[in-house]
Amino acid sequence: MSRHILYGLAGAGVSLLVLGVPTDLLPNPLFTRMVPPRPLDYLALVVVVALSGLLAATYAYPAACPTAERRTLAGSMLTLFGIACPTCNKLALLLLGTSGALAYLQPLQPLLSVFGIGLLVSALLLRVRALRSARPSMP
């Protein structure tokens, strides 16, 4: 199996665990959700895991675009806040309270997921462009 496939599978697996376990989209005994997940949360998780795998696969090649790392982190964090339980977020509870988190944060969560996915797509495009300019023969 080639190196970029291993990197991609590892990146997708880590992303699935890091995002799926604390948000309880992957059922586990460590975390529980107070608000049931929406179908959009599962869709966002699948898209982010796929993008993370593709991004991780680009790290198998030596050419790198350092700005994409910031976008990757920001996109992953935004998506995490977008798919997490709004009342399980300690910062949201501290700032807004339970009713405020449900009234203000929960309606914004799909938008956070979309922005996070957009950042991950732009990071992937930057890395692919950098790789193609470094290796013109790459398919």
Side-chain angles (χ1 to χ4, degrees):
M1 190 177 288
S2 62
R3 192 171 62 171
H4 64 279
I5 292 174
L6 289 174
Y7 277 47
L9 291 174
V14 167
S15 176
L16 181 63
L17 291 175
V18 167
L19 294 174
V21 171
T23 60
D24 201 32
L25 293 178
L26 290 178
N28 65 81
L30 300 175
F31 297 96
T32 56
R33 270 181 94 100
M34 301 302 173
V35 177
R38 299 169 288 221
L40 186 61
D41 296 336
Y42 289 105
L43 177 64
L45 179 65
V46 168
V47 170
V48 169
V49 166
L51 287 170
S52 297
L54 291 170
L55 274 163
T58 65
Y59 282 91
Y61 300 103
C65 178
T67 59
E69 292 168 2
R70 291 186 197 124
R71 289 181 191 209
T72 302
L73 178 63
S76 298
M77 291 303 295
L78 277 174
T79 305
L80 177 65
F81 288 122
I83 64 175
C85 172
T87 59
C88 302
N89 184 336
K90 305 284 189 260
L91 183 60
L93 286 179
L94 181 65
L95 294 174
L96 304 170
T98 303
S99 60
L102 290 172
Y104 301 114
L105 178 62
Q106 190 174 20
L108 290 177
Q109 283 184 303
L111 191 60
L112 292 174
S113 294
V114 168
F115 283 145
I117 289 169
L119 283 171
L120 290 171
V121 168
S122 69
L124 180 61
L125 292 174
L126 281 173
R127 290 199 51 85
V128 168
R129 190 176 304 141
L131 286 170
R132 287 194 177 199
S133 67
R135 293 182 178 198
S137 64
M138 187 178 135

